[in-house]
Amino acid sequence: MKIDEPLIARRGYPVAVYLQEGFLGQRLRVLPRPVVKEAQNHPIVRRFLVTDAGYFPHAAEHGRARAHGARETVVMVCTDGAGWVEVDGSGPQRVERGDAVVLPPRVRHRYQADRQDPWTIWWAHVTGDDADDFVSVILKDGASPVVALRDVYSAVQSLEEVVGALEEDESMPMLVVAAGAAWRVLTQITASRMQGAGPGNDRIRHVQEYLRNNLDTTFSVPELAAMAGLSTSHFSALFRTAAEVSVKEYLKRLRSARARELLLTTELPVTQIANAVGYDDALYFSRQFRAVNGVSPTQFRQQADFESLAPA
């Protein structure tokens, strides 16, 4: 079906957008408005509610043009193909495999699948105060509505759970399940936006994983930069953007987390724990541990022992 071009033009959309009535293998659920109204009074889902959700595979000629936006926040995840999206006349932005799109409520927008390589998308409409809070972070300072996801598989898994819950029925338990799964999707999109994306992002994640698996080894920042194939200054800047702390602070916190685990689950002396997390000097380890936790390793273990003996 073709949207009325003159109407679209009058509303500020000079380019025609095409809609398809259905797609082979599609899944689609839309809550009745009375159910939505009732759910908005529920103590849990009133803050975060899924009203619509679906899956459109190989969605040729799929598109929407909403002059006044949708009532809810629109979330889409592209798993194949491509398309484009535009928000409030900002100009079209390309959407590709692995991208998520977040469109704020009541803001004009349009989107369309690529004509030659139409997208496959999972999508949901969400509403509530918590949904608005997610949007305010994801789209902070006029950021792009297109977000490169760090873990597309997990996001799709959660969206499939959303659709499955609404397909089961429209009872309150299923609305709670759908809300929880959609919440995970928004947290993944938010984290991806906060961590940023770029040519060096995969290299930074590789270094972070290496650090997590080799805490007992001593590293220098230049060595880690070389591992990522980046200059020291570029590596440090990218790392701080992704982790929100410096390389040394990130490693200190990783080592502290592992040390807390060993203090709680073993009877190893502090000196051995220090060695296990990459510190040759137990006194230096204690100072670093205190900087993160506010207490020494010994005090941390004593407090944990005391609390475990306290009455419930």
Side-chain angles (χ1 to χ4, degrees):
M1 181 178 72
K2 184 177 178 181
I3 292 181
D4 178 18
E5 289 188 55
L7 176 61
I8 295 301
R10 289 198 300 273
R11 291 180 176 177
Y13 293 103
V15 179
V17 181
Y18 296 85
L19 296 176
Q20 187 82 351
E21 295 295 347
F23 312 101
L24 184 64
Q26 77 171 29
R27 299 166 69 182
L28 171 66
R29 283 296 181 272
V30 178
L31 294 183
R33 299 316 295 180
V35 172
V36 173
K37 186 175 181 180
E38 179 184 356
Q40 288 173 333
N41 293 318
H42 190 274
I44 296 177
V45 296
R46 69 185 179 192
R47 294 190 59 83
F48 193 87
L49 172 68
V50 181
T51 63
D52 312 63
Y55 167 65
F56 290 169
H58 194 69
E61 296 192 352
H62 168 247
R64 289 281 185 184
R66 298 185 176 99
H68 303 289
R71 284 176 292 193
E72 308 83 19
T73 294
V74 179
V75 179
M76 299 187 290
V77 172
C78 177
T79 61
D80 199 9
W84 56 262
V85 61
E86 180 177 340
V87 178
D88 203 21
S90 60
Q93 299 182 55
R94 188 165 176 80
V95 180
E96 299 180 333
R97 179 187 305 176
D99 287 341
V101 175
V102 177
L103 303 174
R106 300 172 295 280
V107 176
R108 68 172 179 153
H109 62 250
R110 58 175 179 160
Y111 51 83
Q112 185 175 355
D114 185 86
R115 296 291 179 84
Q116 282 71 47
D117 186 19
W119 58 25
T120 292
I121 57 172
W122 289 85
W123 58 271
H125 289 206
V126 296
T127 187
D129 290 344
D130 288 359
D132 293 341
D133 288 342
F134 276 118
V135 170
S136 68
V137 175
I138 295 169
L139 302 182
K140 183 179 179 181
D141 298 327
S144 168
V146 182
V147 181
L149 290 170
R150 288 170 58 93
D151 188 351
V152 180
Y153 176 77
S154 294
V156 168
Q157 221 177 11
S158 296
L159 280 167
E160 187 170 11
E161 186 177 346
V162 171
V163 175
L166 297 185
E167 285 176 337
E168 185 163 334
D169 59 50
E170 298 165 358
S171 65
M172 193 57 66
M174 289 302 101
L175 297 189
V176 172
V177 170
W183 177 284
R184 292 198 300 274
V185 176
L186 267 294
T187 59
Q188 291 167 326
I189 296 173
T190 302
S192 295
R193 169 50 50 86
M194 295 173 70
Q195 291 168 321
N201 200 252
D202 288 341
R203 302 182 191 184
I204 298 301
R205 289 200 294 271
H206 171 71
V207 170
Q208 289 174 330
E209 181 178 0
Y210 186 80
L211 290 174
R212 288 192 293 270
N213 293 328
N214 296 275
L215 291 177
D216 58 346
T217 305
T218 301
F219 308 95
S220 69
V221 175
E223 287 173 338
L224 295 174
M227 183 186 301
L230 300 167
S231 69
T232 301
S233 59
H234 191 200
F235 169 76
S236 297
L238 286 177
F239 195 100
R240 182 177 287 277
T241 298
E244 298 188 330
V245 294
S246 68
V247 180
K248 290 183 177 180
E249 181 65 22
Y250 183 84
L251 184 56
K252 181 171 71 176
R253 294 183 185 184
L254 281 181
R255 286 171 166 165
S256 176
R258 175 60 176 156
R260 291 194 301 270
E261 179 184 354
L262 293 174
L263 288 165
L264 291 172
T265 61
T266 75
E267 296 182 356
L268 291 173
V270 171
T271 300
Q272 289 186 31
I273 291 176
N275 292 335
V277 297
Y279 293 98
D280 295 330
D281 186 336
L283 290 177
Y284 181 65
F285 160 67
S286 294
R287 289 197 297 271
Q288 295 288 290
F289 187 92
R290 182 186 290 274
V292 174
N293 300 281
V295 294
S296 70
T298 300
Q299 290 170 325
F300 178 84
R301 176 177 270 169
Q302 290 172 344
Q303 289 176 356
D305 289 342
F306 176 78
E307 291 171 359
S308 68
L309 296 175

